[in-house]
Amino acid sequence: MTQDPDTLKFMGKPRPELDEGWHDLLQGTLIKFSADELYAAGNATSVAHKDGGFVGGLGISHSLHCLQYFYQDYYYSHEEQNWHELESHAVDHCLESLRQTLLCQADVSVYTLEWTPHSRFKPTVRVSQPHVCVDWPRLHDWMLKRAAKLEDMTPPDPSLYKDIA
C-alpha cells in the first residue's frame, strides 16, 4: 500500500462515515483455523469453532482494534472540549499515521482465544507466538547519534504567517 484513499474517512471528529470506516476495517477480525494451521503457527489450541477447527485472529486485527479503542477514548471522552484547544489536527495526523503503519506492516502472527472466568460472553486473547522485531537498541543508538533539537532547525519564512492575526 503506497497511498491510502481512505485517509480522509479516518480523520476528524466522530461522525457516521468515520464510525462506519472503523467498523468495516475491523470486519473479519476473528478467523477460523485448522488444528494444523495453529500447530504451524506455534499455537497448540484456541477456542473451538462450532463447525470444527478453532477461532483466532492475526496480530494486525488486534493492533487496529487497540488503535480504535484509543481513538474512541480520546474523541468521545473529550466531547465537551473545544476542538481547537485539543489540537485535533495533530491528533488526527498521529492516529492516521499509526493506522497506515499497522496496515502497511501488518502483523500476521496468529493469536488464539481462551475462555477465562472473567467473562462468559467473550474469550480472552492469547498472544503466544513470538514477534519478529527490529533491533531497538541498535536503531535507537543510531537515532541518538543523529539527534537534533528545535534550536538546530532553520526558522520558518515569516511570509508563511502574513495572513494570521
Side-chain angles (χ1 to χ4, degrees):
M1 178 188 321
T2 56
Q3 182 70 26
D4 186 353
D6 290 333
T7 291
L8 294 177
K9 178 178 17 177
F10 286 94
M11 296 177 71
K13 297 181 203 176
R15 60 194 186 286
E17 179 189 41
L18 193 149
D19 291 337
E20 182 181 324
W22 275 110
H23 175 80
D24 293 345
L25 190 60
L26 293 171
Q27 288 296 306
T29 295
L30 296 177
I31 300 170
K32 182 178 178 182
F33 291 97
S34 69
D36 290 341
E37 290 169 325
L38 286 184
Y39 180 78
N43 294 288
T45 188
S46 189
V47 171
H49 189 283
K50 67 179 182 177
D51 296 328
F54 299 91
V55 178
L58 300 180
I60 180 62
S61 298
H62 188 248
S63 296
L64 286 168
H65 163 77
C66 291
L67 182 61
Q68 181 200 31
Y69 173 82
F70 290 123
Y71 167 81
Q72 289 175 331
D73 181 63
Y74 179 83
Y75 276 107
Y76 289 105
S77 67
H78 292 90
E79 288 182 329
E80 303 297 319
Q81 294 273 346
N82 178 329
W83 288 103
H84 296 291
E85 290 176 15
L86 295 176
E87 300 183 67
S88 62
H89 176 74
V91 172
D92 283 343
H93 167 80
C94 291
L95 287 170
E96 179 56 13
S97 176
L98 288 171
R99 187 185 69 84
Q100 286 189 24
T101 297
L102 291 170
L103 289 173
C104 291
Q105 299 172 7
D107 176 0
V108 294
S109 58
V110 174
Y111 68 82
T112 58
L113 305 173
E114 175 180 25
W115 288 112
T116 60
H118 84 277
S119 174
R120 295 172 193 241
F121 307 105
K122 186 176 177 186
T124 298
V125 172
R126 291 184 323 160
V127 183
S128 55
Q129 186 175 10
H131 294 267
V132 177
C133 300
V134 299
D135 181 344
W136 173 247
R138 184 175 174 197
L139 177 60
H140 194 222
D141 184 56
W142 178 85
M143 293 165 59
L144 291 172
K145 288 177 182 173
R146 300 175 61 96
K149 301 175 186 169
L150 285 174
E151 298 83 33
D152 296 332
M153 296 189 299
T154 59
D157 184 331
S159 67
L160 181 65
Y161 304 102
K162 66 181 179 181
D163 295 330
I164 298 176

